């Protein structure tokens, strides 16, 4: 019965050393969040499906992990579905019903009336007549479906009509064999078997054809999976921390004192295809303020990034900033609001493919040459932040929204620069276009030091209507997020984890037997009272094995308490790195390990 | 589109104050785990279903939250199922197929042959003949099912045979209407409607009858739900931390240095019916050692409990200990191994219903009077632990296993007592019978101080074969768990949370406008570099409102920096409790807030 143990793809076990390193990063983030006045909240791992669904776009919905209802869900749903006949399994059942009904009807009538006699090799003589007969039957059935299934009924009938020949062709194929079957089957088990396989194949083909029709011609994708999900799942694992936060704010609005600065460090789950560095369960570390439009918050969030990365020892992190209103302004100036993403994507390649390459791509994407000329300064967008802002100011002079963006950017950058950053670099990046669907003001993204080849290690921005979807209007929010996994990799690569990060046991007491162990335990108890991490090897195993254990666990000291030491009320403390050994009384031992 | 936000039943949002209190408890548990040499691991929130299923008994399986496969799971499964016809929806489809086939067959043949003519009020004339006809048809179909469905085929045929009359009766009812239908339906939409309803009702009744048969006569409960779950769900949320730990140990056995002392503090999920104090998501805090049978570990685990509860300020926590082998010994002595649970449950009521009451209950449960006499000492089981052990020793002299338990208990208790506990009480409780299915040695349970009416706040024990189920034999494990939610309630009730537990912001800088804010931000930045938690109110709102904000958030100080202060390079620090206000330079401000 032994199972070979494994974990689901895209998930991870964390060993003690990994937990210690993760905790080290998290505790620095947490301490800085609190230093900046953010307060922790925690929300449940799963939310009601309606809280999450529809908040992350179509793709997001697909990537949300749904939780099956517990208990007798299927029996209950079965009863409900039979009651309503509004059923996700209807497609398959419908096909099968029609198929069985029609084919049986034909076989019976034709054979009974001796209207048709056919053999294995001969084609049916008058398919047309058969089709007419079957059309009647199908009409009858789709009529039933129109009564019984408000969702699928009309679709079903439409698809049947459009694909009548295909469906009937399949059925006729089957009917031919079925005719054969009625003559020979009782004597031949192979024929019976073949018929079963043939029948299944046809039903399968028809079902797939039908589902495909639904997808292709009615733009209904994954209709059955979604339908089933809705029917048997009411809960889903959270996909990020922002939507649960918005839900929290609305639900607890009467208890919350606004502006509300909250942080949240919890795992989220996404059914993404797992790949290197992308997991199905990962931690998000978010800090958001809700309830104030003050730009001082953007200033503070930049400082917060700087403060965390400085404390982590990372030098040269680039905090990129942009503003949604500037992007809107550019779109206005180039006269192509719908081309904004194409524009920024192309512009972002300036370093790689050069000005001509970028312009070529823009033109390919349908942006007019004259429009591109209007934003020529963006192709030589260099200089200090204040010089860049001046250029933007000139460029966007005609766009009211653009100028509002420039003004916001100026306030934030000016103050960040005047107050000073520790080890991070602020940069204005007009190609920064993350979260275009929801950010309305500042947009942030953080790049690791240039020596590390890695994507962004943080991001955020302002959204003017964070909680509107849950019914609380006019709540502006701004927030940032830290990418724990990537920060971990960066710190690992740059060798910046302190050696003391995993606080292992300081000393292992060697076990020489019951009496000696009791003596050791007396000392261990007292040492622990001083907060010193010490352990007794649990068994009186061979001494070499015990030392090996200390070695493998990187425990720096061993304490040897044999009979000699007991009698003298001493402890032999052995430094396992240097090999040095000293004899100490308890006080000396304590001081040596403290 | 606004939704009224809510969270799933049995789950909780935690406010900043609650998070702080929970973190306070967790950090004390964590520090003590580490002081005792335990190392942290973390495992994924969801495991492969086969890792969890079957490990917690039938009830446990039911309470595991299953996660729906992501993506086009249904289409895929549909294809697979059609391929295999080994389908969870088979019951419903089978019923429907048989029903439709048989009824159509009868209607067609009877009507065509004019073998039977019936009207609405007349009974069918020869049901017997019909039944024979249909039996043939059903045989034909169940033959098909025997081919196609290895799981349900035989069951299906058996149930059909056993319930033939019931099924046929239902079908005959329908056939009668169907006969009617063939004559009149085209002209009467109401009849058509009624027929649809009748058909659905019959199919529903047949399906439910069939499922019920499966449950009652074949002891297959929730067959369809389980079956469906297996088909569309491969992952499940972890139910506890012990099984994932066992899986971790086996999976990583080559990287682990044994004996392995691990702790794990993570949420678990159970689809229990939510009620007061019982949640569907809650944290478990477990410490386990695997790979050694040494009883020093039991000694240390008792000390660990004492150390945590002492540090939490809880006095008079009772750490109850028992041993599975003693319980086995008692069962041996009373000659009723199967009555062990009845026995301990009854004995546990000694305080409430007295000796006579307990004995009465035991006799009612079928324990012989003579057997009860043999364990008479358990009814006056008082005195010191060592006196209790002496009594057990006499009582269980005849039972080898019982005496082994006495010996183990003696070692543990002796050493715990000699080493001493801080604020907890050790107690030997022979009625303690938790985890009888898996514990093989020591059993622990922790009761809160007597002044608090609450169930156990911790528990644990030794299991000789922790990892066997995953293929690694002879790995003895022993561990304990802390019940975070209940510990929280106990500490709350006894008012033992330190006032400093929620480390709020120390001072709020009042916002008087842009220039003043910049001046404030300069000071804030420097203060934060000293680790001082300070904030600027983000908007230049009315001063009263800003003070109110500080008040509501329990921030103890406000810093006032108007033009006067700016010009003098001073800060007015106002104590919001006493109302006192002083003017300070930066150094003074820093020292006042440090």
């Amino acid at each position: 019965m032994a199972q070979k143990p494994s974990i689901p793809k895209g998930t991870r076990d964390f060993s003690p050393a990994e937990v210690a390193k993760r905790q080290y990063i998290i505790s620095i983030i947490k301490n800085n969040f609190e230093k900046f006045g953010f307060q922790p909240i925690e929300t449940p791992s799963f939310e009601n499906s309606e809280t999450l669904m529809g908040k992350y776009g179509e793709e997001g919905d697909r990537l949300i992990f749904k939780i099956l209802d517990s208990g007798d869900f299927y029996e209950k749903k079965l009863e409900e579905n039979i009651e309503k006949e509004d059923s996700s399994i209807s497609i398959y059942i419908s096909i099968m019903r029609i198929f069985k009904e029609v084919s049986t009807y034909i076989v019976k009538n034709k054979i009974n009336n001796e209207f048709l006699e056919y053999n294995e090799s001969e084609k049916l003589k008058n398919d047309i007549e058969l089709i007419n007969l079957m059309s009647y039957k199908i009409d009858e059935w789709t009529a039933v479906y129109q009564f019984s299934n408000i969702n699928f009924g009309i679709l079903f009938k439409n698809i049947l009509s459009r694909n009548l020949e295909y469906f009937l062709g399949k059925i006729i194929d089957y009917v031919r064999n079925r005719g054969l079957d009625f003559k020979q089957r009782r004597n031949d088990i192979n024929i019976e078997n073949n018929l079963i396989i043939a029948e299944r194949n046809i039903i399968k083909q028809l079902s797939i054809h039908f589902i495909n029709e639904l997808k292709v011609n009615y733009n209904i994708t994954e209709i059955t999976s979604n339908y089933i999900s809705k029917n048997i799942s009411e809960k889903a694992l959270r996909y990020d921390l922002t939507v649960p936060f918005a839900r929290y704010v609305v639900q607890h609005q009467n208890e919350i004192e606004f502006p509300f600065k909250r942080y949240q460090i919890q795992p989220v789950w996404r059914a993404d295809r797992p790949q290197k560095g992308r997991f199905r369960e990962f931690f998000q570390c978010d800090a958001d303020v809700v309830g104030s439009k003050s730009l001082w918050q953007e200033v503070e969030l930049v400082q917060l990034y700087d403060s965390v990365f400085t404390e982590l020892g990372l030098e040269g992190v680039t905090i990129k900033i942009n503003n949604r209103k500037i992007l809107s302004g550019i779109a206005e100036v180039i006269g192509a609001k719908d081309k904004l993403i194409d524009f920024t994507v192309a512009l972002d390649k300036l370093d790689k493919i050069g000005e001509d390459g970028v312009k070529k791509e823009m033109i390919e994407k349908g942006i007019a040459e004259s429009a591109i000329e209007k934003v020529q300064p963006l192709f030589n967008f260099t200089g200090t932040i204040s010089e860049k802002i001046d250029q933007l100011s000139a460029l966007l002079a005609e766009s009211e929204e653009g100028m509002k963006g420039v003004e916001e950017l100026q306030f934030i950058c000016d103050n960040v620069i005047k107050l000073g950053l520790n080890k991070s670099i602020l940069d204005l990046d007009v190609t920064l276009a993350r979260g275009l669907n929801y950010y309305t003001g500042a947009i942030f993204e953080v790049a690791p030091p240039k020596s590390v080849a890695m994507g962004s290690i943080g991001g955020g921005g302002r959204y003017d209507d964070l909680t509107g979807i849950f019914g609380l209007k006019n709540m502006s929010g701004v927030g940032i997020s830290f990418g724990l996994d990537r920060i971990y990799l960066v710190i690992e690569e740059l060798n910046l984890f302190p050696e003391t990060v995993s606080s292992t046991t300081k000393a292992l007491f060697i076990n020489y037997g019951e009496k000696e162990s009791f003596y050791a335990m007396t000392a261990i108890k007292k040492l622990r009272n001083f907060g010193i991490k010490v352990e007794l090897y649990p068994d009186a195993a061979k001494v070499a094995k015990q030392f090996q254990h200390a070695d493998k666990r990187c425990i720096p000291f061993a304490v040897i308490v044999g009979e000699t030491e007991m009698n003298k009320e001493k402890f032999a403390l052995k430094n396992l790195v240097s090999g040095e050994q000293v004899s100490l009384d308890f006080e000396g031992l304590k001081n040596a390990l403290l």
Side-chain angles (χ1 to χ4, degrees), chain A residues 331-432:
Chain A
E332 233 178 273
V333 168
I334 64 173
K337 293 214 174 191
D338 56 323
K339 295 284 193 303
L340 183 54
I341 289 171
D342 289 335
F343 181 85
T344 51
V345 165
L347 192 60
D348 191 34
K349 297 179 185 162
L350 197 55
D351 281 351
K352 287 180 212 138
I353 59 175
E355 186 174 331
D356 290 347
V358 170
K359 284 184 174 170
K360 191 165 160 256
E361 181 173 324
M362 286 178 175
I363 288 165
E364 278 167 11
K365 293 283 180 185
I367 299 167
E369 219 162 324
S370 59
I372 297 171
E373 267 167 43
K374 281 190 197 149
V375 291
Q376 177 63 34
L378 294 180
F379 294 96
N380 302 295
F381 199 61
T382 51
T384 65
I385 288 178
S386 108
E387 284 163 3
K388 283 182 178 176
I389 289 176
D390 288 346
Q391 290 177 61
L392 282 178
S393 205
L395 189 70
L396 302 173
E398 301 295 298
S399 160
E400 196 183 328
E401 196 176 359
M403 288 309 287
K404 182 90 180 71
V406 171
E407 196 184 301
E408 289 182 13
L409 211 48
Q410 183 137 34
F411 180 91
I412 298 162
C413 294
D414 271 7
N415 281 297
V416 167
I417 291 164
K418 280 195 288 176
L419 290 165
L421 293 177
N422 293 308
K423 296 197 171 169
S424 313
I425 303 152
L426 183 70
D427 188 27
L428 198 171
D429 181 353
V430 286
T431 65
L432 184 60

Side-chain angles (χ1 to χ4, degrees), chain A residues 158-193:
Chain A
N158 286 347
I159 291 173
L160 268 182
S161 318
R162 289 168 53 131
N163 294 275
L164 204 55
E165 289 210 25
Y166 175 86
F167 276 71
L168 294 180
K170 291 285 174 192
I171 293 173
I172 288 165
D173 283 348
Y174 176 76
V175 165
R176 282 198 191 109
N177 291 324
R178 185 82 180 168
L180 179 76
D181 143 59
F182 265 77
K183 289 177 186 159
Q184 303 181 0
R185 60 194 282 190
R186 254 164 255 169
N187 307 321
D188 192 339
I189 197 96
N190 286 326
I191 291 177
E192 176 73 353
N193 252 339

Side-chain angles (χ1 to χ4, degrees), chain A residues 428-480:
Chain A
L428 198 171
D429 181 353
V430 286
T431 65
L432 184 60
R434 60 183 287 145
L436 276 190
N437 294 330
Y438 40 94
Y439 290 140
T440 51
I443 303 174
F444 300 111
E445 194 169 274
V446 182
K450 292 203 170 54
S451 59
V452 185
M454 174 103 56
S456 69
I457 54 176
R462 180 176 287 274
Y463 24 86
D464 272 345
D465 187 22
L466 173 62
T467 57
I469 196 139
F470 298 113
L472 185 63
K473 299 286 178 197
N474 297 320
M475 270 286 172
S476 186
V478 59
I480 57 172

Side-chain angles (χ1 to χ4, degrees), chain A residues 141-311:
Chain A
W141 264 107
T142 50
V144 171
Y145 267 79
Q146 249 168 326
F147 276 112
S148 55
N149 193 323
I150 47 160
N151 288 328
F152 287 128
I154 293 167
L155 281 183
F156 204 89
K157 188 169 181 177
N158 286 347
I159 291 173
L160 268 182
S161 318
R162 289 168 53 131
N163 294 275
L164 204 55
E165 289 210 25
Y166 175 86
F167 276 71
L168 294 180
K170 291 285 174 192
I171 293 173
I172 288 165
D173 283 348
Y174 176 76
V175 165
R176 282 198 191 109
N177 291 324
R178 185 82 180 168
L180 179 76
D181 143 59
F182 265 77
K183 289 177 186 159
Q184 303 181 0
R185 60 194 282 190
R186 254 164 255 169
N187 307 321
D188 192 339
I189 197 96
N190 286 326
I191 291 177
E192 176 73 353
N193 252 339
N194 288 338
L195 280 170
I196 291 165
I197 292 164
E199 179 190 321
R200 257 189 254 154
N201 277 338
I202 291 172
I203 292 176
K204 181 180 164 180
Q205 285 168 28
L206 294 180
S207 299
I208 291 167
H209 186 85
F210 189 90
I211 288 165
N212 201 42
E213 273 290 300
L214 276 174
K215 284 187 186 172
V216 174
N217 290 321
Y218 295 88
N219 200 21
I220 297 172
T221 51
E222 289 169 40
I223 185 157
T224 41
S225 291
N226 277 347
Y227 193 88
I228 278 233
S229 299
K230 268 183 219 148
N231 251 316
I232 62 178
S233 160
E234 291 167 346
K235 295 179 287 293
L237 290 173
R238 68 174 159 249
Y239 180 84
D240 72 357
L241 301 177
T242 305
V243 169
F245 172 52
R247 193 266 310 146
Y248 180 95
V249 167
V250 177
Q251 193 175 331
H252 301 278
Q253 54 185 289
N254 297 326
E255 307 141 39
I256 291 171
E257 169 62 19
F258 293 100
F260 180 45
K261 297 171 87 165
R262 89 84 173 79
Y263 77 87
Q264 201 170 346
I265 301 175
Q266 291 192 281
V268 302
W269 296 267
R270 294 183 184 180
D272 251 324
R273 192 176 298 276
Q275 48 181 257
K276 194 172 178 297
R278 190 199 281 167
F279 303 99
R280 293 190 143 188
E281 171 174 39
F282 57 97
F283 266 70
Q284 283 194 336
C285 313
D286 282 17
D288 294 80
V289 199
V290 64
S292 162
K293 291 182 176 168
S294 165
L295 294 173
W296 283 113
Q297 295 169 338
E298 276 85 341
V299 174
E300 285 211 320
L301 290 174
V302 173
Q303 290 186 324
L304 176 54
Y305 267 138
D306 175 50
S307 187
V308 167
F309 291 121
T310 299
E311 198 171 331

